Amino acid sequence: MEVKSIIRELRTTYRVFKYKGEDFFCPFCGNSSKGFLPIGLPHQAIKDYKIIGAGLRNGGCVKCDSIDRDRLLYAYFEFELNVLRNNPKLSILHLAPELMLSKEFLKYKYKRYLCTDKFMPGYTYPKHTVDMDIMDITFPDNSFDLVICNHVLEHIPDDIGAMKELYRVVKPSGTAVLQVPISPLLTISYENPEVQTDHDREVHYGQYDHVRIYGQDYIRRLQSVGFTVDKISITQKYKSFGVIPEEDLFICTK
Ligand SMILES: [Zn+2]
């Protein structure tokens, strides 16, 4: 075993011991704990706009590093949508896949479970992921029963174009789960054409590679490409997973 992985294993064992408790449960690795590790960024814009789904918070699993929003998605797919088991007729497209969630899907049999990401130089991607741009999804119309695309659209300059692509590849009566960080304080999403540098994006949007802060018009944007959107809250039921209480799910159907 490599020294690095020995150190990683020792660190995990220590964390699991330090956070030993029964208050919370991680559905990915099955670890019970009294809390979670700090994750996220402490930038001022995130605080100022009270952005949900971003910012410094205790959300990381001490054992498997899953984060709060991934555990919320697990709860939705496993217990609300009931798709996270063998579903041989289901075609699923998972863009920018959350590692622990995609590992879970990979355990089971589907007609198709495809993970894609836009490969960037200097980054490594899991073996099961293929290079594909959200602006040009290389599949025919009406290909997928379920599309999962979380925390991607806030990085895309032409997000309406990306939404059109997502809508195009969802089958009629199919579902897309399209989560973004969102501000409850903004009626209209904040985009500023003068913000052009990493530093300015960090100051204005709270992260160097975000191109806007979504506000409450996010739903209208999704509807504008044809989606029917249900904003639902299931977090009360899954408090023990250490989810963000204010995080709604945006369930889009065609
Ligand atoms: Zn875990």
Side-chain angles (χ1 to χ4, degrees), residues 16-216:
V16 169
F17 174 74
K18 192 180 163 195
Y19 282 77
K20 199 171 163 43
E22 298 298 325
D23 299 333
F24 296 102
F25 176 76
C26 173
F28 290 114
C29 67
N31 187 57
S32 294
S33 68
K34 63 180 177 188
F36 293 93
L37 296 168
I39 54 166
L41 303 164
H43 296 309
Q44 193 60 38
I46 294 171
K47 291 179 203 161
D48 291 346
Y49 291 100
K50 298 191 184 323
I51 300 174
I52 299 162
L56 185 62
R57 66 216 188 258
N58 292 326
C61 174
V62 295
K63 190 170 182 183
C64 74
D65 291 325
S66 72
I67 66 170
D68 37 25
R69 62 182 189 238
D70 304 354
R71 294 188 295 273
L72 177 63
L73 291 169
Y74 178 96
Y76 179 69
F77 291 126
E78 169 70 327
F79 303 116
E80 304 291 321
L81 203 59
N82 299 311
V83 293
L84 200 57
R85 299 285 153 180
N86 294 332
N87 245 319
K89 290 184 180 167
L90 216 60
S91 283
I92 305 169
L93 174 65
H94 195 168
L95 296 96
E98 298 81 5
L99 185 62
M100 293 306 289
L101 189 61
S102 59
K103 278 186 181 174
E104 204 61 36
F105 274 104
L106 286 165
K107 285 183 192 170
Y108 304 107
K109 288 232 178 317
Y110 302 97
K111 187 176 175 189
R112 171 184 283 143
Y113 174 66
L114 179 69
C115 288
T116 68
D117 216 326
K118 187 178 178 182
F119 286 10
M120 308 290 273
Y123 289 85
T124 52
Y125 297 86
K127 272 185 196 153
H128 61 269
T129 306
V130 299
D131 187 10
M132 200 164 71
D133 189 341
I134 191 171
M135 303 308 295
D136 181 21
I137 299 173
T138 53
F139 278 86
D141 299 359
N142 310 320
S143 288
F144 297 96
D145 301 284
L146 175 62
V147 171
I148 308 167
C149 177
N150 300 308
H151 288 247
V152 172
L153 293 167
E154 69 274 20
H155 299 267
I156 309 289
D158 177 15
D159 65 331
I160 300 291
M163 288 171 189
K164 283 179 184 167
E165 267 299 84
L166 296 170
Y167 182 79
R168 184 183 67 75
V169 296
V170 175
K171 285 183 188 174
S173 78
T175 299
V177 180
L178 309 176
Q179 297 298 102
V180 292
I182 190 163
S183 167
L185 305 183
L186 290 173
T187 311
I188 304 291
S189 301
Y190 171 51
E191 293 170 290
N192 183 343
E194 286 175 17
V195 174
Q196 291 293 341
T197 65
D198 286 1
H199 173 262
D200 284 354
R201 282 189 287 269
E202 200 167 276
V203 170
H204 283 257
Y205 307 138
Q207 192 167 314
Y208 77 96
D209 57 353
H210 286 182
V211 296
R212 73 184 61 78
I213 299 173
Y214 281 110
Q216 298 306 303

